[in-house]
Amino acid sequence: MVFAKADFPWWIAGGYAIELAVGRELRAHGDLDVLVLRRDQALVHELLADWDLHVADPPGQGELRPWRPGEVLRPPLHDIWCRRTSKAPWSVQLMLDEAEGTQWVSRRTPQIRLPIDKLGWTSEAGIPYLAPEVQLFYKAKATRDKDETDFEAVLPLLDAPARAWLADAIKVIAPGHPWIRRLLPVSRT
């Protein structure tokens, strides 16, 4: 993988991050999601200099335009589609996220934070991936069937602090989300 040569933090994201956490394949994937910090975008562009890179502008609207060398992407731009050549299929989706000092800051809302060193886990093969609670936070915004599958698969791996963090984070973006009650301990009165 090209990111193995990176000298900046990066994490496998999306469904593959969940699969790395649970240690088994859950479904087929169309591409590989990778999260990097916005402050490292020039290093990312340099690492992928021989790739065909396009930014979704505006995000979520399906419009892709070339990401030019030296171009600094500012919020709300955060989604970069990558392929080895202009004729190859899209194979990597990069997501830029925010950081302040040693803190990761969610691009969705600055209330949601974690120390960068707690943002991910590392697989037995040395591959960094988003901590399951962080990946589930992203999946909670607009839950699909595959997200429910991921939640069910990884829920048993989440310790009490991870569950509490995720429940608190989801309350900020989706206060009535059904995952919240599944994450919180049952009180006995």
Side-chain angles (χ1 to χ4, degrees):
M1 157 171 253
V2 68
F3 281 92
K5 298 181 279 185
D7 60 353
F8 53 86
W10 59 276
W11 302 267
I12 298 294
Y16 280 120
I18 298 296
E19 291 178 356
L20 284 166
V22 299
R24 62 185 166 88
E25 185 176 324
L26 299 172
R27 67 174 166 282
H29 301 274
D31 65 358
L32 177 66
D33 299 333
V34 177
L35 185 128
V36 295
L37 300 175
R38 183 176 302 276
R39 66 186 180 198
D40 296 324
Q41 65 180 287
L43 298 171
V44 172
H45 208 292
E46 184 179 312
L47 180 70
L48 300 176
D50 58 344
W51 284 55
D52 186 35
L53 307 174
H54 286 68
V55 62
D57 186 3
Q61 302 298 314
E63 299 292 326
L64 296 177
R65 66 165 178 80
W67 183 25
R68 306 268 181 234
E71 178 184 7
V72 176
L73 301 177
R74 304 211 184 285
L77 302 178
H78 67 270
D79 204 7
I80 304 158
W81 290 69
C82 313
R83 57 188 173 185
R84 293 237 180 231
T85 70
S86 62
K87 305 265 190 266
W90 301 110
S91 58
V92 176
Q93 182 180 3
L94 288 176
M95 287 140 322
L96 300 178
D97 243 346
E98 310 307 319
E100 290 177 8
T102 61
Q103 291 280 310
W104 163 80
V105 180
S106 169
R107 69 177 173 271
R108 292 193 178 151
T109 178
Q111 289 174 260
I112 309 300
R113 297 168 175 260
L114 267 178
I116 292 170
D117 65 357
K118 303 280 188 213
L119 189 58
W121 292 2
T122 304
S123 74
E124 290 179 10
I127 300 168
Y129 61 95
L130 281 182
E133 63 270 22
V134 176
Q135 186 56 61
L136 289 174
F137 162 72
Y138 279 111
K139 289 175 165 286
K141 183 178 179 188
T143 311
R144 303 157 296 184
D145 287 345
K146 65 183 180 179
D147 303 321
E148 293 293 340
T149 299
D150 290 349
F151 179 79
E152 292 299 329
V154 84
L155 184 60
L157 300 178
L158 299 179
D159 62 15
R163 286 174 179 242
W165 181 90
L166 180 56
D168 289 345
I170 293 174
K171 286 176 191 174
V172 173
I173 60 163
H177 199 289
W179 288 357
I180 295 169
R181 70 177 179 277
R182 305 260 329 268
L183 290 164
L184 298 175
V186 177
S187 62
R188 303 194 191 276
T189 53

